[in-house]
Amino acid sequence: MFLLFGILLLFCLVDCCNYSIRLVNGINDCSGRVEMLYNGTWGTVCDDDWDMNDAAVVCRQLGCGTAVSAHGSAHFSQGSGQIWLDDVGCSGSESLLAQCSHPSIGTHNCGHHEDAGVVCLVPDIRLVSGSDSCCGRVEIRYNGQWGTVCDDNWDMNDAAVVCRQSQCGSAISAPHGAAFSQGSGSIWLDDVECSGSEGALTQCSHSGLGKHDCKHDEDAGVVCSDQKEFRLVNGLDDCSGRVEIHYNGTWATVCGDSWDIDEAAVVCRQLGCGRAVIADGRALFGVGDHHVNCKGEESSITQCSPQRNENNCPQSNDAGVICSGMRI
């Protein structure tokens, strides 16, 4: 008896893990017609008995937050080919759609005019403690509460998803170690591993919402391209080099006549590169023709006071920085 139960359980686990699901024809990756990949073929789900409990499981499995609505009658247009599931009956607590009750896969009495769909509410995401909304500490809102993301396995693929979800262009860097200061409260995500193509961070592989072994000194951050007020070039990595500012539609360098550790501190802080180690004003990384003056308290280099540019900066003077976050 126990052997038979074990065989049935193993069959269920293998069967449940033998396919993927997706949402198509919606406004994003978290809304649309429900489709399942089984035996290498995508097929649809019939709307018989389809309700919010079923939608909740779909949204959870896709990392798309909570279910907003459950649709039938091919609300997101008719699919084609196979109809894999019918008479789905979820309690709403399952992790996978295949764990819900249903006839055997492929057994149905439906047409594609009955294809099921869902709309999910993706957890909100924001970037805080940076110079603007496109750089900073990564935070997501789950169950009405904002929390942070641990930097274990945090890389540029993860940052790319955050920047895309935040509508901030492409990723420039993925700072670790609470580079944009420590958050507080919950740590919602850990061990995040994105391919880089996901539409939302919670769709990436992770340990589970609220499951972690981190503290806030490991809070993850990102810097996105749409934040590009300035950049570091000709250095060993993204945390060292010549300082360039996006000025009147073009990139311009910064004169090093009055460049010191205060200015460098602002640059390193804004890029999430730790503290300033070296403030170079003698063209170690190139030449420049614009002056700025910082007190060291600003969150962005563009908040520093500009000095009138008379093109009188010697070519041998050029502002550069090396930050403690530099990777060698």
Side-chain angles (χ1 to χ4, degrees):
M1 181 69 177
F2 287 105
L3 178 61
L4 177 61
F5 177 77
I7 292 173
L8 290 174
L9 178 61
L10 178 61
F11 176 79
C12 177
L13 290 174
V14 172
D15 184 57
C16 288
C17 296
N18 196 32
Y19 68 90
S20 301
I21 63 173
R22 67 183 181 185
L23 300 178
V24 298
N25 283 0
I27 60 173
N28 54 36
D29 292 339
C30 290
S31 65
R33 182 176 65 246
V34 182
E35 293 194 350
M36 182 177 79
L37 180 66
Y38 182 72
N39 283 342
T41 302
W42 285 102
T44 64
V45 176
C46 184
D47 65 7
D48 292 345
D49 297 325
W50 190 253
D51 60 20
M52 285 295 290
N53 287 335
D54 309 319
V57 175
V58 170
C59 295
R60 181 180 302 112
Q61 183 175 350
L62 288 173
C64 284
T66 57
V68 176
S69 56
H71 295 274
S73 303
H75 179 83
F76 293 99
S77 78
Q78 296 185 29
S80 60
Q82 300 288 339
I83 298 175
W84 286 130
L85 292 181
D86 189 13
D87 297 316
V88 177
C90 301
S91 69
S93 62
E94 297 86 353
S95 299
L96 304 171
L97 191 63
Q99 293 174 341
C100 304
S101 66
H102 58 79
S104 60
I105 293 178
T107 300
H108 67 88
N109 60 355
C110 304
H112 282 295
H113 64 285
E114 299 172 84
D115 285 342
V118 304
V119 175
C120 310
L121 179 64
V122 182
D124 292 332
I125 193 167
R126 67 182 182 186
L127 301 177
V128 299
S129 295
S131 61
D132 60 25
S133 61
C134 287
C135 72
R137 182 177 64 251
V138 181
E139 295 191 350
I140 63 172
R141 184 164 58 184
Y142 179 67
N143 282 342
Q145 182 180 359
W146 286 102
T148 62
V149 177
C150 184
D151 65 9
D152 292 344
N153 299 323
W154 190 252
D155 61 20
M156 288 294 288
N157 286 337
D158 308 321
V161 175
V162 171
C163 292
R164 181 182 305 112
Q165 186 177 354
S166 303
Q167 298 183 338
C168 284
S170 57
I172 296 176
S173 63
H176 288 219
F180 291 101
S181 76
Q182 295 185 28
S184 60
S186 298
I187 298 175
W188 286 129
L189 292 179
D190 188 14
D191 296 316
V192 177
E193 293 190 56
C194 303
S195 68
S197 61
E198 295 85 354
L201 191 64
T202 49
Q203 293 176 339
C204 303
S205 170
H206 55 79
S207 299
L209 284 162
K211 297 180 180 179
H212 66 88
D213 58 357
C214 304
K215 296 181 179 180
H216 283 295
D217 60 355
E218 299 173 81
D219 286 344
V222 302
V223 177
C224 306
S225 61
D226 283 4
Q227 178 269 342
K228 276 188 177 178
E229 297 170 344
F230 73 97
R231 63 186 180 186
L232 299 180
V233 297
N234 286 1
L236 295 177
D237 67 2
D238 293 337
C239 290
S240 65
R242 181 177 70 243
V243 181
E244 292 192 351
I245 292 179
H246 200 231
Y247 182 77
N248 284 341
T250 61
W251 286 101
T253 55
V254 180
C255 183
D257 280 352
S258 59
W259 189 257
D260 59 24
I261 201 70
D262 288 334
E263 282 86 2
V266 176
V267 170
C268 294
R269 182 183 304 115
Q270 188 176 357
L271 281 178
C273 286
R275 61 183 178 83
V277 177
I278 294 176
D280 174 71
R282 292 179 291 181
L284 178 63
F285 302 104
V287 297
D289 55 13
H290 286 279
H291 294 68
V292 296
N293 183 36
C294 302
K295 297 178 180 178
E297 300 172 353
E298 298 85 351
S299 61
S300 168
I301 192 70
T302 55
Q303 293 174 359
C304 301
S305 302
Q307 296 180 5
R308 183 175 178 80
N309 176 25
E310 301 292 349
N311 293 320
N312 61 354
C313 186
Q315 289 187 346
S316 60
N317 290 13
D318 209 13
V321 301
I322 296 178
C323 307
S324 63
M326 187 181 70
R327 298 174 294 276
I328 300 177

